[in-house]
C-alpha cells in the first residue's frame, strides 16, 4: 500500500525560531524508529514547516506505517516534547491531502464513491487491480482516531468484489424434500381467504385485519409450535421489545445493510417538543380542515431514532450486552411472539404472504458451538415434523447463503464455518403459481446457526472463556397459513387430522349485507 499525506497540526501559538532544530531532530528520530520497527517498506517525513499557528509536514509511506497512524503517534509524542519546552500546545490536526493506493482483489464493474472520500480511481497493471483513494480532508478527527480510514480501504475492496458477487446467482441448494402431497386447490390463497372474509386489507399498504377465523388458525399454529418444539426442547417464552433504537442495529450490523436488500425497516421518530403548545397549530389545522398537514408535522419531529422490530431477536441482545453468562445457564433457549414485526416490502401490493406488518415466531438459542449446533439441528428436526406431518405440507429445505455472510462478502469466513454456520429455508409449493419445477416456492421459515456474530457484536462472554455461538429461527403465521391454504384450500374436510386436533371449532365469519 502506498500513502501520501500532507497535514498540519494546529498550535496554540507560534513556535519560536530556535525550535526548528528540535523539530528536525524529533521527526528524524520518529522516522528512524518507524523504519527500524518495520524492516521492509519506506517511510519518510518531509516539508516540515512551522508557520504561525501551524506546523505542516508531508508523510509518504510505501508498505509501512500508514501516515494517519503515524500522525496520531506523533501528536502524542510531540505534544510532550514541545509542550514543556516552548509552552505551545497541539490543538488537533487537519488534512490537506491524503491519498491511499492499494491493491484490490477484483476489478470494479462500475465506478463508485464513498462518504468521506473525495475521489476513487481504479487502474489495472499486469493482471492486478488497484484503487487510488483520496480521503476527504474534512474527515472529522475522531473518525480518523476510530478506524474509519481503515474501513474506507476495506469497503473499497469489498464493494468492488460485491459487484461481481451480486451478479452471480444467490447460493440455493435443495437438501431435503417432503415429496409430493395431495393438493386440494390451485387457487390463489389470498383471494380464497378474502372471499371467505377471513382477512381484509386495511387502508395501509400490505396490512391486513385478521378475523377471528384466521386468528383461531394462527392460535392453533402457535400451540403446535409449543407442543412440538418449545415444550419438548425446553424453550421459555419471553417478550422482546418491538421498538429498536440505532444502538442495537449498529451492533447487530443491520444498520450497515440499510435498504441494501436484506434490511428494510420502518423508521421511528420522536416529537421535537412533546408539549400542547408545540403541536397546537397542528391540532387546530386538523380540526378545521379534517386533513393531516404531514409536511408541517415533519418539521416538528426528529430524525429517526431507530425503527420498528424487523428481525425480532436483535433487541433481545441488549439484555446480555457486556455480561458474562454462567456456564449453568447455557444453553439459553427462548422464543418470542409478543408482537408484530414490520418490513417495508417495496414494490406493488402483495397478498397475505408478503405483508408489511407480520406476526412471526422467533426461536433463539445461545451456547457453546456444540450446544448451538445441537439446538439448531433439534429445531430443524421438529420443523420438518410440523410442516411435513402435522400440516401435511409439500415443502423442501434449501440451504441458502444468509445475508449476514453475504454482506461480509468474505469467502474465507465462509469456507471455515460453512459446514456449521448457515441458514436452512423451508419453502412451500404454491400450486396456483404454476408447476413444481417452474414456479417460485414460498419461504415460510428459516433456521439459522449464526456463530459468533451476535455474542461478539454485543460483547457477550461465557464463564471460563468458552466461545459463544447463537442461532435463531423465524417464521410468520401469514406464511404458514398462506402455504397451507394454497395446498389444502378452505374446506376443513381436506385438512390433516393432526392439525384439526388443534382447532375446536372455527368461529363463524361475520357476514356483510
Ligand atoms: P423473503 O425472501 O420471502 O422476503 P426473507 O428472506 O426476507 O423472506 P427472513 O428475513 O429470512 O425472510 O425472515 C424469516 C421469516 O419471516 C420468513 O421465512 C417468513 O416466514 C417471515 N417473513 C419475512 N418477511 C415476511 C413478510 N413480508 N410477510 C410475512 N412473513 C414474512
Ligand atoms: Mg424479505
Ligand atoms: Zn433472529
Amino acid at each position: 500500500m502506498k500513502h501520501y499525506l500532507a497535514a498540519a497540526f494546529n498550535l496554540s501559538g507560534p513556535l519560536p525560531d530556535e525550535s526548528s532544530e528540535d523539530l528536525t531532530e524529533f521527526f528524524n528520530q520518529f522516522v528512524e524508529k518507524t523504519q527500524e520497527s518495520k524492516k521492509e517498506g519506506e517511510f519518510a517525513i518531509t516539508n516540515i514547516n512551522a508557520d504561525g499557528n501551524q506546523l505542516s509536514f508531508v508523510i509518504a509511506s510505501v508498505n509501512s506505517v500508514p501516515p494517519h497512524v503515524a500522525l496520531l503517534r506523533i501528536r502524542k509524542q510531540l505534544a510532550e516534547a514541545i509542550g514543556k519546552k516552548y509552552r505551545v500546545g497541539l490543538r488537533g490536526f487537519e488534512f490537506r491531502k491524503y491519498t491511499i493506493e492499494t491493491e484490490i482483489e477484483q476489478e470494479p464493474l462500475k465506478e463508485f464513491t464513498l462518504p468521506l472520500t473525495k475521489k476513487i480511481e481504479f487502474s489495472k497493471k499486469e493482471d492486478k487491480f488497484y484503487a487510488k483513494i483520496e480521503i476527504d480532508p474534512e474527515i472529522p478527527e475522531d473518525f480518523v482516531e476510530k478506524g474509519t480510514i481503515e474501513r474506507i480501504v476495506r469497503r473499497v475492496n469489498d464493494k468492488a468484489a460485491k459487484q461481481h458477487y451480486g451478479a452471480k446467482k444467490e447460493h440455493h441448494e435443495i437438501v431435503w424434500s417432503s415429496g409430493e402431497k395431495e393438493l386440494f386447490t390451485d387457487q390463489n390463497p389470498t383471494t380464497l381467504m378474502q372471499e371467505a372474509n377471513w382477512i381484509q386489507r386495511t387502508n395501509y399498504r400490505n396490512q391486513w385485519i385478521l378475523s377471528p377465523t384466521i386468528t383461531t388458525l394462527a392460535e392453533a399454529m402457535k400451540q403446535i409450535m409449543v407442543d412440538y418444539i418449545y415444550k419438548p426442547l425446553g424453550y421459555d417464552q419471553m417478550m422482546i421489545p418491538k421498538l429498536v433504537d440505532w444502538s442495537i442495529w449498529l451492533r447487530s450490523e443491520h444498520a450497515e445493510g440499510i435498504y441494501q436488500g436484506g434490511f428494510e425497516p420502518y423508521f421511528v421518530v420522536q416529537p421535537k417538543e412533546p408539549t400542547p403548545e408545540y403541536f397546537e397549530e397542528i391540532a387546530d389545522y386538523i380540526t378545521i380542515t379534517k386533513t393531516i398537514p404531514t409536511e408541517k408535522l415533519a418539521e416538528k419531529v426528529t430524525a429517526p431514532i431507530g425503527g420498528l422490530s424487523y428481525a425480532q431477536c436483535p433487541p433481545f441482545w441488549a439484555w446480555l450486552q457486556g455480561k458474562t453468562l454462567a456456564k449453568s445457564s447455557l444453553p439459553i433457549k427462548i422464543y418470542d411472539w409478543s408482537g408484530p414485526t414490520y418490513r417495508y416490502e417495496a414494490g406493488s401490493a402483495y397478498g397475505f404472504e408478503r405483508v408489511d406488518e407480520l406476526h412471526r415466531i422467533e426461536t433463539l438459542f445461545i451456547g457453546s458451538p456444540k450446544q448451538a449446533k445441537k439446538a439448531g439441528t433439534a429445531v430443524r428436526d421438529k420443523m420438518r415434523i410440523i410442516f411435513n406431518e402435522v400440516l401435511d405440507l409439500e415443502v423442501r429445505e434449501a440451504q441458502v447463503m444468509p445475508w449476514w455472510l453475504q454482506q461480509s462478502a468474505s469467502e474465507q469466513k465462509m469456507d471455515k464455518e460453512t459446514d456449521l454456520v448457515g441458514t436452512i429455508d423451508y419453502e412451500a409449493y404454491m400450486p396456483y403459481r404454476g408447476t413444481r419445477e417452474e414456479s417460485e416456492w414460498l419461504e415460510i421459515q428459516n433456521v439459522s446457526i449464526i456463530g459468533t456474530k451476535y455474542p461478539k457484536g454485543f460483547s457477550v462472554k461465557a464463564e471460563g472463556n468458552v466461545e459463544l455461538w447463537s442461532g435463531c429461527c423465524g417464521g410468520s403465521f401469514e406464511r404458514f397459513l398462506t402455504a397451507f391454504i394454497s395446498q389444502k384450500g378452505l374446506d376443513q374436510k381436506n385438512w390433516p387430522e393432526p392439525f384439526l386436533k388443534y382447532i375446536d371449532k372455527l368461529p363463524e365469519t361475520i357476514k356483510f349485507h
Side-chain angles (χ1 to χ4, degrees), residues 311-314 360 362 472-473:
Q312 234 165 320
C313 68
R360 271 166 42 112
E362 175 91 348
C472 68
C473 324

Side-chain angles (χ1 to χ4, degrees), residues 264 310 343 345 354 479:
E264 289 83 29
Y310 179 87
R343 297 183 170 200
E345 296 287 357
R354 189 174 291 283
R479 294 267 169 110

Side-chain angles (χ1 to χ4, degrees), residues 203-220:
N203 285 332
Y204 186 63
R205 69 195 306 280
N206 301 314
Q207 189 197 42
W208 296 79
I209 300 176
L210 279 65
S211 73
T213 320
I214 195 91
T215 305
T216 302
L217 297 180
E219 199 64 34

Side-chain angles (χ1 to χ4, degrees), residues 201-492:
R201 266 187 207 283
T202 70
N203 285 332
Y204 186 63
R205 69 195 306 280
N206 301 314
Q207 189 197 42
W208 296 79
I209 300 176
L210 279 65
S211 73
T213 320
I214 195 91
T215 305
T216 302
L217 297 180
E219 199 64 34
M221 270 311 308
K222 196 192 280 186
Q223 204 49 51
I224 289 167
M225 308 275 280
V226 171
D227 286 355
Y228 281 80
I229 303 178
Y230 303 131
K231 267 195 202 150
L233 298 183
Y235 279 75
D236 292 315
Q237 183 176 190
M238 69 182 277
M239 298 196 196
I240 300 175
K242 297 290 177 275
L243 193 156
V244 187
D245 71 79
W246 287 124
S247 73
I248 297 204
W249 281 336
L250 263 173
R251 285 182 179 267
S252 70
E253 292 180 344
H254 277 87
E256 297 172 21
I258 194 161
Y259 283 88
Q260 300 301 300
F263 176 53
E264 289 83 29
Y266 270 88
F267 297 110
V268 168
V269 299
Q270 292 172 338
K272 282 184 184 157
E273 282 180 41
T275 61
E277 298 76 37
Y278 194 64
F279 282 95
E280 192 174 340
E281 58 170 319
I282 304 276
D284 289 341
Y285 187 93
I286 296 171
T287 308
I288 59 182
T289 68
K290 298 287 178 197
T291 59
I292 308 288
T294 48
E295 293 292 322
K296 191 92 197 126
L297 197 51
E299 291 167 15
K300 291 187 177 284
V301 296
T302 63
I305 52 103
L308 295 174
S309 177
Y310 179 87
Q312 234 165 320
C313 68
F316 161 90
W317 287 91
W319 191 30
L320 310 184
Q321 191 175 318
K323 302 203 173 97
T324 302
L325 299 172
K327 202 171 166 215
S328 57
S329 293
L330 296 177
I332 294 172
K333 292 186 264 183
I334 67 113
Y335 62 98
D336 168 273
W337 58 49
S338 62
T341 300
Y342 294 85
R343 297 183 170 200
Y344 193 90
E345 296 287 357
S348 56
Y350 296 101
F352 197 57
E353 80 290 348
R354 189 174 291 283
V355 296
D356 275 28
E357 180 179 75
L358 49 136
H359 300 84
R360 271 166 42 112
I361 301 187
E362 175 91 348
T363 311
L364 179 59
F365 47 85
I366 300 158
S368 65
K370 215 170 137 197
Q371 287 172 328
K373 199 187 165 200
K374 189 172 162 220
T377 310
V379 172
R380 183 173 165 185
D381 289 345
K382 300 291 187 190
M383 287 292 176
R384 268 194 203 177
I385 293 172
I386 290 177
F387 295 137
N388 185 28
E389 295 173 22
V390 181
L391 298 181
D392 191 41
L393 282 178
E394 186 164 335
V395 285
R396 64 191 186 197
E397 282 179 6
Q399 186 142 32
V400 298
M401 165 98 84
W403 67 269
W404 36 271
L405 277 184
Q406 229 174 83
Q407 198 179 21
S408 67
S410 151
E411 301 278 341
Q412 255 176 342
K413 188 165 148 196
M414 285 274 312
D415 286 343
K416 196 172 128 254
E417 294 184 331
T418 201
D419 52 335
L420 294 176
V421 170
T423 291
I424 294 290
D425 277 350
Y426 285 84
E427 301 173 343
Y429 174 46
M430 305 273 275
Y432 82 96
R433 286 183 176 174
T435 63
R436 290 182 170 87
E437 295 72 33
E438 278 168 19
S439 70
E440 197 191 337
W441 291 38
L442 180 69
E443 177 193 329
I444 57 174
Q445 169 79 44
N446 77 284
V447 175
S448 298
I449 298 178
I450 305 182
T452 58
K453 178 182 162 64
Y454 277 88
K456 276 205 182 125
F458 287 84
S459 313
V460 188
K461 296 211 162 62
E463 184 186 337
N465 244 345
V466 177
E467 189 173 42
L468 265 189
W469 277 29
S470 79
C472 68
C473 324
S476 69
F477 296 120
E478 284 85 356
R479 294 267 169 110
F480 299 156
L481 295 174
T482 311
F484 183 78
I485 301 298
S486 93
Q487 293 186 17
K488 306 297 179 194
L490 296 184
D491 193 343
Q492 285 173 68

